[in-house]
Amino acid sequence: MSFLRPRSWTQWVRRLCQAVFLLLFVWTLVVTHLAQVDNVPPLLRFYFQLDPLVLTATWLSSHAVPAALLVAFITVGVTLLLGRVFCGWFCPFGTLHNIFSWLRSRRETPTPPETRSPWQRAKYIVLIALLVMALFGVHWIGVLDPFSFLYRSGVTAVLPAIQYGVEDASTAIYVADPKIGPFRATSVSEPVYRFLRDQVFRAPGQAFYGSIGVGILFVAVLVLNWVKPRFWCRYICPLGALLGVLAQRPVMRLRNEESLCNNCGKCSTACPAAAQPDKRGDWLPTECFGCWNCVAACNFKAISFEFRSPFPRPAMGRLDLSRRTAVQAALAGVTGIFLMRLTPQAQEKNYNPELIRPPGALRERQFLQKCIQCGLCMRVCPTTALHPCGFESGLEGLWTPRLIPKIGYCEYNCNLCGQVCPTGAIQSLALEEKQQVKLGLATIDTTRCLPYAYGRSCIICEEHCPVPQKAIYLVEREVRLPNGKTTVLKQPQVDPDRCIGCGMCENVCVFSDRAAIRITSANESRNSDNQPILPMAPESSESTPYGS
Amino acid sequence: MMKKTSRRTFLGITASAATAAFIHPVGFSQENASPVDMCVARWQGETSAYDDAVVASKLTEQAIQALGGMQRFVSKGDTVWIKPNIAWNRTPEQAANTNPDVVATLVRLCLEAGAKIVKVGDNTCADAKQTYPMSGIEAAVRKAGGKMVYVDNNRFRKMSINGEVLKEWEVYPEIIESDLVINVPVVKHHSLSTATLCMKNYMGVIGGSRGQWHQDFAGYLCDMTAFMKPRLCVLDAVRILTANGPTGGNVADVKRMNTIAAGTDIVALDAFGAELLGHKAEDLPSVRRGEARGLGRADYRKLAFREVSVS
């Protein structure tokens, strides 16, 4: 049944398919700025739901996954039937690598046909190590999962870079206002800027702490296409490896007609996956992306894809992974667990005061066991409050979201981060519930706060406090001024019962460097062990500090 | 500061006042219809039978009418910027932002008076992309034919204020370049300045580190007011926020006053607003300092003043 004869139109169908899925991905990235509490654009989590690696690892580490992630079984089914076509036809990251590989091939003379390299094993080692880690509760899959990698890079590195360029350039043009005769440059730059500001950018000047590592890694991974085409897909991608494991005996497979083949090797030169289509009986289904470059490259129509029963296993190349290597990979994973937990915080008795998690985030250990570092929460946050962690939560928490109040506060009437989280690491809470969640506690630095330290009036923290009854109250005290006179000033104090740690006070504090009122993780709702302050007893307002 | 009335304006005012007197004989029967410099329009009787929007827009119409109609302030082809308070991500019922129907009515009156374009915008405290829709102002203004403008942080310009304490500051050029700025705050409690009214509303015209102003609030507000040269202010007291301002959030702190005050004297309006919140006008440092500096007079009853009952 070899009906699929070599035709270059298959190439164009595939490219169209790739373009559609890449644009859909970009759409999910861009459209996020429109998200409103009662109107979240559909399909935002689509790619993460299609991803069986996210499903497997999250299930292994937390033993519970949202039902929506079960969509990934579609990908599993497709792979069992057709092999790794997901990599060749759908994966937006793969498409990006395709584009960069193409840019490279334009520069160089044709390469000789490639054969399999032992390095292609690396991705299986990565996969095994990550899954072993997940099995023991260390969920680091998001660091290398292609969708998390791509989305995170887009959100925290690419979009902010574009935004910076657009904002800076258009402001420079606006300020200089150059004219050529009657033509003003701003008549072009301003509408373009306004369109992007209103239709693409989430918040003015959006940029993220901790995104430099993400950005460098993203550029590096793209540049690696100059070393080998689709370097990431061949050697690193753990999702590709998982699909490779599933594609060991696909129903659709390559057929190389010996009677037509002249062993020119063009098919293998065209192969971006080093899947050896020229080696009859040694074609590597676990590596093949199903892109059909080989089919189009053959001048003699010797290569085609056909559907055949997977049993008994026909002559094909096998997954290049010995038992010994697999055991070594598992040991690497175990080592990884200890490296990840090499921090006092792993004991869950020590809390980083600067580690403020989004509202609805699970207790730290459980949170880390679900978060896939995808960056969706960072993108939808209307105030750019959420930033990728460095090592605030150890290596284990790399690039997980944390709230930096000085840059953005948690908007009282918003619960978007929980609504978009694909794995439930941030629970989706109703607005009324979310408004009760304490992210931390505000602390007043009386060595900096103006009415305490410098004899000037300022109530900006109290003014902005969004808690309806105000978690900051003002106490009038007499203060001695530098000139020796005294004056009465209103000094802010925090009510720990009411403070939800949203950080708006820190955000608006008149100090732009280090605020005089700061949020620490103390009192956070998600960690019962990190709640030092008891609720005020009703009668304690009258009693002595030592009780009765 | 009032413009000299041209014959054309005079005729316009007379005609519209006559029309208004004809349509609303109650409001005008006992007083002459000559324009005043400050008007307080109060709703008489029950409001439950009326839609919120009807109450707010009737009050606004009547208050502006008593000043001589919008033609007194808007000339044909003018660009008008209406500056409500849209600072917070709160609903109209929470009274942390200006009533959307008051704003929409002003938009309509400006357009009817011949304005070319009516822009509405504020440099908000919470994210404008949320406060504009949440406040109800965006929808109401669009419906009335006005244009919501997002104040852009990258487009402020340092301007020379030359005040007593405020020498220069980042101000939004698009607002300053408008032919008329209508200042439309909502009456709210504020823990430092006692109340936030018209003068404080100008903080939404500026950028920069606005929090610094708290260190000499009245001084900065007076300088900014002098810079803005207010011609028309409308004080929204349909609902007022009596405690936990200026953010509010608890409807228990909101009091329904069904009142709109409009006028040309910003100090007088702020004095009136302070009284609505149960203070004496002189309790407000900005009113005291403003009067001392000649920005207006606190005793609004000494102005050409009229109270109008609307029903």
Side-chain angles (χ1 to χ4, degrees):
Chain A
M1 202 179 77
S2 61
F3 62 90
L4 299 166
R5 284 281 153 203
R7 295 280 190 281
S8 68
W9 63 264
T10 56
Q11 300 292 91
W12 288 107
V13 172
R14 192 199 78 232
R15 283 170 197 152
L16 184 70
C17 184
Q18 285 183 296
V20 166
F21 276 81
L22 180 63
L23 289 176
L24 184 63
F25 189 88
V26 173
W27 183 81
T28 65
L29 195 62
V30 167
V31 81
T32 321
H33 87 282
L34 295 169
Q36 294 288 335
V37 168
D38 50 2
N39 185 16
V40 176
L43 293 181
L44 285 188
R45 297 177 288 189
F46 175 63
Y47 285 89
F48 302 104
Q49 290 163 350
L50 270 185
D51 185 340
L53 184 64
V54 166
L55 173 71
T56 315
T58 309
W59 182 77
L60 282 177
S61 67
S62 68
H63 315 303
V65 290
L69 285 186
L70 299 178
V71 176
F73 277 107
I74 295 175
T75 311
V76 172
V78 167
T79 307
L80 287 172
L81 282 175
L82 308 176
R84 279 174 68 183
V85 289
F86 190 81
C87 306
W89 289 61
F90 303 109
C91 176
F93 204 17
T95 305
L96 211 54
H97 290 303
N98 240 13
I99 294 169
F100 277 81
S101 305
W102 173 77
L103 288 174
R104 163 198 187 259
S105 65
R106 287 280 142 150
R107 288 170 153 221
E108 288 177 20
T109 48
T111 44
E114 284 193 78
T115 51
R116 82 187 317 169
S117 145
W119 287 104
Q120 279 164 272
R121 202 183 290 152
K123 60 179 175 294
Y124 299 104
I125 296 173
V126 167
L127 173 72
I128 291 171
L130 287 176
L131 290 183
V132 166
M133 280 162 67
L135 180 65
F136 289 101
V138 176
H139 193 38
W140 222 51
I141 205 79
V143 170
L144 289 173
D145 173 75
F147 298 140
S148 286
F149 194 106
L150 183 57
Y151 203 88
R152 177 176 64 234
S153 305
V155 167
T156 67
V158 179
L159 280 175
I162 294 171
Q163 182 167 356
Y164 173 78
V166 169
E167 285 182 350
D168 210 46
S170 68
T171 304
I173 294 172
Y174 177 81
V175 171
D177 196 13
K179 301 176 196 77
I180 305 163
F183 171 78
R184 300 167 78 108
T186 50
S187 64
V188 176
S189 66
E190 284 300 283
V192 170
Y193 165 64
R194 268 191 227 116
F195 172 80
L196 290 170
R197 181 192 69 187
D198 299 338
Q199 302 303 321
V200 179
F201 304 150
R202 177 64 168 166
Q206 189 167 55
F208 298 87
Y209 269 126
S211 63
I212 182 64
V214 177
I216 289 175
L217 208 59
F218 184 62
V219 173
V221 159
L222 291 181
V223 167
L224 282 174
N225 286 302
W226 267 260
V227 178
K228 286 283 179 195
R230 296 193 67 162
F231 187 99
W232 165 273
C233 315
R234 279 192 201 188
Y235 304 120
I236 305 173
C237 184
L239 175 59
L242 180 66
L243 298 180
V245 170
L246 295 171
Q248 291 186 72
R249 49 173 79 191
V251 177
M252 183 179 80
R253 65 177 88 110
L254 183 119
R255 176 190 168 94
N256 187 342
E257 193 59 55
E258 198 168 2
S259 59
L260 296 173
C261 176
N262 70 343
N263 294 316
C264 69
K266 273 190 174 174
C267 50
S268 269
T269 303
C271 179
Q276 308 186 140
D278 60 331
K279 298 221 162 54
R280 263 176 302 282
D282 212 10
W283 167 68
L284 302 171
T286 59
E287 305 303 312
C288 174
F289 302 147
C291 71
W292 294 13
N293 271 0
C294 49
V295 178
C298 183
N299 288 344
F300 302 98
K301 301 183 177 179
I303 294 186
S304 60
F305 276 84
E306 59 179 10
F307 288 100
R308 291 278 280 276
S309 164
F311 303 99
R313 193 175 198 280
M316 289 188 295
R318 286 182 181 276
L319 187 72
D320 180 20
L321 191 73
S322 65
R323 197 174 301 153
R324 181 175 288 260
T325 313
V327 170
Q328 284 166 353
L331 285 175
V334 173
T335 314
I337 295 166
F338 293 111
L339 288 178
M340 299 286 153
R341 294 268 166 91
L342 216 52
T343 159
Q345 280 160 266
Q347 298 295 326
E348 288 202 284
K349 286 183 187 116
N350 299 288
Y351 298 96
N352 184 341
E354 290 185 5
L355 184 64
I356 318 234
R357 293 294 191 190
L362 301 170
R363 205 186 159 93
E364 186 63 10
R365 175 69 59 82
Q366 283 80 354
F367 175 78
L368 292 177
Q369 285 171 349
K370 285 206 163 177
C371 176
I372 54 168
Q373 298 111 310
C374 64
L376 254 168
C377 53
M378 301 171 201
R379 172 67 176 160
V380 292
C381 179
T383 61
T384 324
L386 299 177
H387 296 252
C389 272
F391 299 113
E392 284 79 7
S393 184
L395 185 58
E396 189 179 3
L398 184 68
W399 298 328
T400 53
R402 76 170 173 125
L403 195 132
I404 305 183
K406 197 62 211 164
I407 311 198
Y409 58 91
C410 181
E411 164 58 51
Y412 188 68
N413 289 311
C414 173
N415 58 1
L416 279 171
C417 50
Q419 285 195 53
V420 299
C421 179
T423 58
I426 309 171
Q427 294 163 281
S428 182
L429 301 176
L431 208 49
E432 300 72 37
E433 281 179 273
K434 180 259 162 185
Q435 288 168 347
Q436 306 298 321
V437 171
K438 296 183 175 188
L439 306 182
L441 178 66
T443 314
I444 290 170
D445 183 345
T446 55
T447 65
R448 276 170 90 78
C449 179
L450 299 188
Y452 285 96
Y454 299 110
R456 284 159 173 82
S457 70
C458 176
I459 46 83
I460 193 165
C461 51
E462 187 264 1
E463 180 184 36
H464 279 72
C465 178
V467 178
Q469 313 273 209
K470 297 277 183 200
I472 298 174
Y473 58 102
L474 301 169
V475 178
E476 291 193 352
R477 287 204 187 88
E478 209 175 67
V479 174
R480 186 175 283 273
L481 300 175
N483 60 13
K485 293 181 182 165
T486 55
T487 186
V488 174
L489 289 175
K490 289 174 173 168
Q491 297 181 334
Q493 275 180 216
V494 177
D495 178 353
D497 289 344
R498 286 188 178 146
C499 179
I500 53 172
C502 70
M504 193 158 188
C505 49
E506 180 174 344
N507 187 261
V508 298
C509 178
V510 73
F511 284 103
S512 316
D513 56 343
R514 175 157 30 97
I517 183 165
R518 299 190 291 274
I519 309 297
T520 74
S521 60
N523 262 18
E524 55 182 348
S525 301
R526 68 197 188 105
N527 277 333
S528 52
D529 298 334
N530 190 17
Q531 294 168 0
I533 304 178
L534 295 173
M536 177 81 78
E539 64 272 21
S540 69
S541 53
E542 294 160 28
S543 64
T544 66
Y546 306 103
S548 50
Chain B
M1 269 204 259
M2 213 185 98
K3 280 198 288 191
K4 209 171 174 185
T5 313
S6 69
R7 183 180 308 151
R8 179 192 171 135
T9 320
F10 174 76
L11 287 175
I13 291 168
T14 316
S16 56
T19 319
F22 178 73
I23 298 170
H24 303 284
V26 182
F28 284 81
S29 56
Q30 60 285 63
E31 307 199 27
N32 66 46
S34 70
V36 292
D37 286 336
M38 178 162 157
C39 171
V40 172
R42 287 198 174 89
W43 191 265
Q44 283 306 71
E46 280 299 300
T47 56
S48 54
Y50 283 90
D51 176 12
D52 273 12
V54 176
V55 173
S57 75
K58 270 195 170 183
L59 286 168
T60 312
E61 277 170 20
Q62 294 290 303
I64 297 291
Q65 197 61 256
L67 301 182
M70 198 57 97
Q71 312 77 312
R72 176 172 165 190
F73 307 99
V74 175
S75 311
K76 206 163 179 347
D78 271 2
T79 300
V80 180
W81 186 290
I82 297 179
K83 164 62 185 78
N85 187 332
I86 333 176
W88 309 102
N89 197 9
R90 301 287 198 214
T91 61
E93 293 72 30
Q94 291 167 324
N97 301 315
T98 307
N99 187 303
D101 299 308
V102 172
V103 181
T105 307
L106 290 172
V107 170
R108 179 165 55 77
L109 293 176
C110 289
L111 289 172
E112 283 168 7
K116 183 176 68 185
I117 181 165
V118 182
K119 300 175 185 175
V120 180
D122 184 13
N123 187 15
T124 58
C125 294
D127 173 32
K129 279 186 181 172
Q130 310 210 23
T131 68
Y132 277 22
M134 185 73 126
S135 64
I137 292 177
E138 184 166 64
V141 164
R142 290 237 168 94
K143 204 173 149 201
K147 186 184 172 203
M148 288 303 289
V149 180
Y150 282 90
V151 168
D152 191 318
N153 255 321
N154 296 320
R155 296 291 177 267
F156 281 97
R157 218 168 245 163
K158 230 172 204 154
M159 293 189 191
S160 168
I161 312 286
N162 278 329
E164 286 176 7
V165 285
L166 183 59
K167 299 304 175 194
E168 60 170 19
W169 204 269
E170 291 93 335
V171 184
Y172 206 61
E174 202 177 342
I175 301 180
I176 303 303
E177 286 157 11
S178 306
D179 297 304
L180 172 71
V181 180
I182 305 180
N183 184 353
V184 202
V186 57
V187 177
K188 289 191 289 182
H189 160 259
H190 188 276
S191 54
L192 186 64
S193 61
T194 316
T196 156
L197 303 158
C198 298
M199 285 167 84
K200 179 156 183 323
N201 196 31
Y202 283 134
M203 288 188 80
V205 171
I206 58 160
S209 177
R210 299 186 280 180
Q212 289 177 1
W213 285 29
H214 291 106
Q215 294 168 48
D216 180 12
F217 217 18
Y220 276 84
L221 292 182
C222 288
D223 284 348
M224 190 63 199
T225 302
F227 173 79
M228 291 300 292
K229 298 184 182 64
R231 283 170 53 206
L232 174 60
C233 302
V234 179
L235 198 57
D236 162 30
V238 175
R239 294 187 188 86
I240 65 173
L241 184 61
T242 59
N244 293 316
T247 46
N250 190 348
V251 284
D253 297 330
V254 176
K255 196 168 156 196
R256 238 196 127 107
M257 301 297 284
N258 291 320
T259 301
I260 292 283
T264 54
D265 186 323
I266 192 166
V267 177
L269 281 168
D270 276 11
F272 174 75
E275 286 175 12
L276 279 183
L277 282 166
H279 303 288
K280 289 194 201 112
E282 54 269 29
D283 291 348
L284 257 73
S286 52
V287 169
R288 274 199 319 266
R289 296 257 295 264
E291 184 165 42
R293 292 200 26 192
L295 297 173
R297 62 193 302 176
D299 189 357
Y300 55 89
R301 285 170 204 283
K302 297 267 170 62
L303 297 170
F305 174 76
R306 182 183 301 149
E307 288 196 47
V308 181
S309 297
V310 184
S311 55

